[in-house]
Amino acid sequence: MKIAIVDDEAEARKELQLVLHSCGLELVEQAELYPFASGEEFLAGFRPDSFQLVFLDIRMQGINGIETARLIRKQAAQLPIVFLTSSADYALEGYQVFPAGYLLKPVGKVRAQLLDILQRCLPEASSVLTVQLNGRALQIARARIAYVDVKGNRRVGGRRGCVVHLLTGRELAVDSSYPEVAAALRSADFVECYNHLLVHFAAVEQLLADGFELKNGERVPISRRLYRETSHDYMEYLLRK
């Protein structure tokens, strides 16, 4: 994919490029990044299919970010635009061009917010889970995950890791902690049905009186405390599908 960064500050462009290349989303980390020093420079060669995502600094010399966004919208109504700003003063005016989000500079201090925006406006970027295994990054397709728990007593660097259970029955004991993995998988399709057990609804074959039977034949429990809420969430998931 191609991402444009439009900002008249060279250091700001460089910082955002570094943050995007280490954000943890493979699609974004491998994207082609195109820096532009002004709205005029960006618009000179812009076409509706030029980019899949645009970062726009609001306060620029010449054509500012909001005016640049208005001109983009005349050609590309659905293109995700993320505003960069050092102040929230322009938020109301900016919403007239339907941005995907706002990031306060410096972006290095709002990585979590950036990741949230990327996952919302680029759904395909969230198709993998990135974990740490033996000190290296490992990416697992979410569609392959049945559930995640803290089986055993695996500890890495003084803290407990977790186990990612795949639909094939394979178990991956990873270094990433359960809270880290649960936060990364936070969506309507992954729900904690038991203490430190996160199940993937797409892996469920049927709802039982005390748990789930999975498509690979395994069974995972649902706590009595969470049964009503979990079963309701599962029914809503089935209706969406």
Side-chain angles (χ1 to χ4, degrees):
M1 69 178 298
K2 296 181 179 181
I3 299 175
I5 300 172
V6 188
D7 195 314
D8 58 1
E9 298 179 5
E11 284 301 314
R13 295 195 301 270
K14 182 178 179 181
E15 180 185 26
L16 181 53
Q17 290 181 76
L18 292 173
V19 172
L20 290 173
H21 275 153
S22 60
C23 70
L25 296 177
E26 183 180 20
L27 181 68
V28 177
E29 290 184 346
Q30 295 182 358
E32 298 178 48
L33 305 182
Y34 294 82
F36 298 90
S38 68
E40 292 91 338
E41 181 185 345
F42 170 76
L43 292 168
F46 176 73
R47 299 188 310 276
D49 59 349
S50 299
F51 301 98
Q52 287 71 56
L53 178 62
V54 176
F55 288 91
L56 271 178
D57 181 30
I58 289 182
R59 301 180 66 178
M60 293 188 292
Q61 297 296 321
I63 301 178
N64 66 26
I66 292 176
E67 184 58 32
T68 301
R70 288 196 181 104
L71 294 171
I72 291 173
R73 283 287 174 255
K74 291 182 177 180
Q75 300 183 60
Q78 303 301 319
L79 176 63
I81 296 172
V82 179
F83 281 130
L84 306 171
T85 180
S86 55
S87 170
D89 293 344
Y90 293 87
L92 184 59
E93 184 180 359
Y95 274 117
Q96 296 173 7
V97 292
F98 307 104
Y102 285 83
L103 286 175
L104 287 175
K105 295 181 177 181
V107 293
K109 294 185 178 181
V110 290
R111 288 174 179 265
Q113 185 182 355
L114 170 63
L115 185 60
D116 180 64
I117 291 173
L118 291 172
Q119 290 175 327
R120 282 191 286 107
C121 66
L122 300 172
E124 64 273 30
S126 302
S127 62
V128 297
L129 168 69
T130 301
V131 294
Q132 294 294 315
L133 179 62
N134 297 325
R136 299 184 62 182
L138 172 69
Q139 295 192 325
I140 307 168
R142 292 188 180 206
R144 298 178 59 202
I145 300 173
Y147 62 101
V148 180
D149 66 7
V150 289
K151 178 180 179 181
N153 192 34
R154 176 175 171 78
R155 289 188 176 275
V156 179
R159 66 175 186 173
R160 179 173 295 178
C162 68
V163 181
V164 179
H165 299 258
L166 305 183
L167 278 167
T168 59
R170 183 181 178 189
E171 298 180 355
L172 295 174
V174 301
D175 303 348
S176 302
S177 69
Y178 176 85
E180 291 171 338
V181 172
L185 291 175
R186 187 185 299 119
S187 77
D189 294 353
F190 286 86
V191 172
E192 188 169 65
C193 61
Y194 202 85
N195 187 37
H196 291 121
L197 195 159
L198 191 78
V199 68
H200 189 188
F201 281 155
V204 173
E205 180 66 27
Q206 63 176 324
L207 175 65
L208 306 173
D210 59 352
F212 286 117
E213 180 181 340
L214 305 184
K215 293 177 179 178
N216 62 7
E218 289 188 70
R219 291 192 177 191
V220 296
I222 303 175
S223 73
R224 294 179 62 182
R225 178 178 59 85
L226 295 174
Y227 189 89
R228 183 175 180 179
E229 179 182 350
T230 301
S231 59
H232 178 268
D233 289 343
Y234 180 61
M235 293 303 172
E236 285 196 337
Y237 165 81
L238 293 178
L239 289 174
R240 292 197 309 273
K241 297 300 178 182

